[in-house]
Amino acid sequence: MSHPPTPRPAPARELRAWWDALAAVIAGVAAMYAVAALGLWAAGADDLPDDAFGSVVAATVVTAVGGTVELSGGAGFLGSTAGGLAVVPLSVTLAGALALAVVFLLPLRHRAVASGGELLARVARTAVLWLPAVLFVALAARHTFRIQVGEDFIDELGEALGATPTVGFRAAVGPTLGYGLLWLLVLLAVATAVSRKTPLPSRLLRFQDTVRPAAFAMLAVLLAYVVIGLVTGVVVAFTRGHTAQTFAVLLLGLPNLAWIAFGTGLGGAWEGRVPGADIGLPVPKPLAAVLRENGDGPATLDLASLADYDGRAWLLVPLAALALLAAGFVTAVRSPAGRRPWQHAVQLAVAVALTLLVVGLLTRVSARLGLSLLGIGDLGDDFGGDVSLRALLPGLVGFGLLWGFAAGFLGSLAALRVRRRGEVDS
């Protein structure tokens, strides 16, 4: 006669829960460090002086979780300058998010139910361990470089007068901790909402059939764009040269480019500028050309401006249409039987609008004094320039609503002949 398994003692369960939280944090931080280090190495940042590579990697991880890196330079009492760097390397962010979310959800995959208190406790434990990890990374993200003029007498005179030119960076610890915590909470909420195998508290079950199908479909669209961009980038790297720099783009900013392509394909637009002739990395030529066309003034990045430099930009429209039609079909198939096409349309419209809002916020770039301090580009060419890029959010979200509604309706019609959850033969 078999006996039921003996339940674990409370201290053992608590210890296991803390271990699960620690494993999730380690997985997320390790994945971000690995991708950031590889990307910066490919970009040539390992040649930075004064063993600055580790600090640069830490600064990249800081920006990946939404933190800000402050840039500064000075020459003693003769003067000083200041700047900042706010750009999210989404390849690093995505790697950390996927690793952390998978390990966080792993202990729940075989559970049928979970109370709200238990889920909140798991989130709280992960947050308690996450904040010291982010603090450690933020404290490591600082470095100061001495700039040598080249003339021995001038360099010695500068040292004697306390006017040696310096330039450096450091993470803003307070904002980094705040945004890092917000990043974690949003990530865990999205991961729980998307995963069908993760149990929800009974009070949230009524939202399960409304939120999860569309959320999963949009996550699939974003990841599909990343995969398409990865394949394209690998082909370009091995056929058109600049192999190392192209892999640097893939390892640091692939989702940035892929998701901007998704947004512009739906009719959205970004505004930005890149002064000078080079931005340090081989981004697509039409994109770089559009951002440089007005010199130091802002330029609008949309389908029309991209097509002026490369007519193939119009292919982004059918690609986005196919992706959203597939999303509408998946949303309908994963939803319970009995829902009407207009309900699926509303579901997907909201999901696409929210997705594009997040994409617009994450793809912003604000880099005063250039990116060269992080090993990207040339200090002499980039120092002093302002690189910026921001989404025009009202139009982007508005197009998302329209496209999402149409794709949700058509996808629902295409799924009418497919057996869905809860449907039985008459």
Side-chain angles (χ1 to χ4, degrees), residues 242-256:
H242 301 291
T243 304
Q245 289 185 312
T246 301
F247 274 104
V249 174
L250 299 180
L251 290 165
L252 294 174
L254 172 59
N256 300 66

Side-chain angles (χ1 to χ4, degrees), residues 179-199:
Y179 285 118
L181 179 60
L182 178 63
W183 181 90
L184 176 73
L185 297 178
V186 171
L187 167 64
L188 297 183
V190 171
T192 304
V194 169
S195 174
R196 291 180 68 177
K197 294 183 178 181
T198 301

Side-chain angles (χ1 to χ4, degrees), residues 399-415:
F399 279 115
L401 285 171
L402 294 175
W403 277 87
F405 189 89
F409 191 86
L410 294 176
S412 179
L413 295 179

